[in-house]
Amino acid sequence: MDGLGIHLLLELKECNPKLLNDIDFIRKALSDTAQTVGATVMGESFHRFSPQGVTGILAISESHISIHTWPEFGYAAADIFACGTTFHPREAAALLVEKLESQDPEIIEVSRGATIKTATS
Amino acid sequence: MDGLGIHLLLELKECNPKLLNDIDFIRKALSDTAQTVGATVMGESFHRFSPQGVTGILAISESHISIHTWPEFGYAAADIFACGTTFHPREAAALLVEKLESQDPEIIEVSRGATIKTATS
């Protein structure tokens, strides 16, 4: 891995809109994803907006997983930041795509702290 | 603004290492930044790691602000996700750069939900 961490930005398009507005489902989706890939959850913050939309954030010992949903567009913006090698962020991304039933996912990968690593390695 | 939100990834290099290891300072830096730019804090999660490093996440009504620090490298990876037009994420980014005394900041800007907006506007 180049850098100190991998940051995946997930553009989750054409999701199931009902799931995106269900805060209990979103909380379970993130928690189950973290557990399945072996990430360690340290804290969380989940909120439902009026008239719609959910924000969910998990602080994990390997950085964080977040999601913000727009049910009216069937769209969710998620990000998975993984430092270290405890888990594979692509595996977590695939699980979120599946759970939210996204039919048109796009994943942007950004290496974080890349020049730091180069300078010290 | 194109899309549903602006996501700034801040590569904060050459920061003051002492500040990066001070969880109280990091908490205040994020909270003060949110308050100054007019973001509404809905939840938070802050953790200090052993032997060093801090994770801090603010859930805000406009999405989130997060930071993960590596004091040993004088480096912090922050991100500011702002949906809507309540505040300018670049203003928040400038405040974090200043507070952490980063001498070599780099900011990556990603438009989130851009194709969603195009399809419905």
Side-chain angles (χ1 to χ4, degrees):
Chain A
M1 180 179 76
D2 286 335
L4 297 171
I6 298 291
H7 200 166
L8 299 184
L9 309 185
L10 282 60
E11 293 278 291
L12 303 176
K13 295 171 277 187
E14 297 183 28
C15 296
N16 182 332
K18 283 187 183 174
L19 299 178
L20 298 186
N21 212 27
D22 183 338
I23 187 170
D24 294 328
F25 175 85
I26 295 292
R27 181 186 279 113
K28 189 173 188 322
L30 263 63
S31 298
D32 286 355
T33 294
Q35 185 173 20
T36 300
V37 300
T40 305
V41 177
M42 307 181 74
E44 64 166 56
S45 190
F46 286 84
H47 307 274
R48 191 179 183 285
F49 296 93
S50 178
Q52 54 196 350
V54 171
T55 273
I57 304 175
L58 291 184
I60 57 177
S61 62
E62 302 83 3
S63 293
H64 74 258
I65 300 174
S66 83
I67 191 166
H68 308 285
T69 76
W70 281 259
E72 66 272 38
F73 298 128
Y75 166 77
D79 74 314
I80 300 168
F81 189 161
C83 63
T85 55
T86 308
F87 74 91
H88 298 289
R90 288 270 174 184
E91 187 184 344
L95 287 169
L96 284 181
V97 167
E98 183 185 344
K99 288 176 191 297
L100 298 176
E101 302 177 12
S102 172
Q103 302 303 308
D104 184 16
E106 180 188 350
I107 299 177
I108 301 159
E109 178 170 332
V110 181
S111 177
R112 304 299 301 265
T115 55
I116 304 297
K117 191 68 173 175
T118 303
T120 58
S121 60
Chain B
M1 180 179 76
D2 285 336
L4 297 171
I6 298 292
H7 200 166
L8 300 183
L9 310 185
L10 283 59
E11 293 279 288
L12 303 177
K13 296 170 276 187
E14 298 183 28
C15 295
N16 182 333
K18 284 186 182 174
L19 299 179
L20 298 185
N21 212 27
D22 182 340
I23 188 171
D24 294 329
F25 175 85
I26 295 292
R27 181 186 280 111
K28 189 173 188 319
L30 263 63
S31 298
D32 287 355
T33 294
Q35 185 173 20
T36 300
V37 300
T40 304
V41 176
M42 305 181 73
E44 64 166 55
S45 189
F46 285 84
H47 306 274
R48 191 179 182 285
F49 295 93
S50 179
Q52 55 196 349
V54 171
T55 273
I57 303 175
L58 290 184
I60 57 178
S61 62
E62 301 83 2
S63 293
H64 74 257
I65 300 174
S66 83
I67 191 166
H68 308 285
T69 75
W70 281 258
E72 66 273 38
F73 297 129
Y75 167 77
D79 73 313
I80 300 168
F81 189 162
C83 63
T85 54
T86 308
F87 75 91
H88 298 289
R90 289 270 173 184
E91 186 184 344
L95 287 169
L96 284 182
V97 167
E98 182 185 344
K99 289 176 191 297
L100 298 176
E101 302 177 12
S102 172
Q103 302 302 308
D104 184 16
E106 180 188 350
I107 299 177
I108 301 158
E109 179 170 330
V110 181
S111 178
R112 304 299 301 266
T115 56
I116 304 297
K117 190 67 175 178
T118 303
T120 58
S121 60

